[in-house]
Amino acid sequence: MKNEIPHLNLFMMCEKPNISAFCELHKDYHFKLCKPSELDVWKYLSIKDPRHFDYMTDYFSLVYAAKEDLFFQKCLFACDKDDT
């Protein structure tokens, strides 16, 4: 289609958080650290199209793999009562 947005590798980020956008997590949710066994969950949450899974695998290797221990110490999931 001629009006399509071209495929670009974009990630949302901010250089300085907007503190006024922060709020407490609802009591029905909790944070937990991403475990190495959940890395595929992180990859799927980072993309909308499963066809880009291999891209996220490569991205993790290029960006985070050298400090993988630190990644798993800092990467958080917000989960419901079923840990989903």
Side-chain angles (χ1 to χ4, degrees):
M1 298 177 85
K2 89 179 192 182
N3 291 332
E4 280 187 20
I5 297 172
H7 175 72
L8 300 172
N9 295 326
L10 298 175
F11 284 87
M12 300 294 287
M13 66 171 281
C14 65
E15 293 181 11
K16 184 177 178 187
N18 177 357
I19 301 302
S20 67
F22 286 54
C23 64
E24 287 191 35
L25 193 62
H26 188 275
K27 66 180 180 65
D28 292 338
Y29 294 87
H30 63 277
F31 289 112
K32 75 171 192 171
L33 290 172
C34 177
K35 300 174 195 166
S37 62
E38 298 171 314
L39 184 57
D40 285 351
V41 174
W42 174 84
K43 292 175 191 176
Y44 279 115
L45 289 172
S46 302
I47 58 176
K48 286 189 175 188
D49 187 335
R51 294 177 296 176
H52 300 295
F53 185 82
D54 290 340
Y55 172 82
M56 288 309 297
T57 299
D58 293 341
Y59 185 84
F60 180 86
S61 295
L62 289 169
V63 176
Y64 296 114
K67 295 188 178 186
E68 188 173 312
D69 290 343
L70 183 59
F71 175 86
F72 290 112
Q73 291 171 22
K74 300 292 183 181
C75 182
L76 295 172
F77 289 144
C79 301
D80 64 15
K81 62 183 177 2
D82 298 320
D83 236 12
T84 303

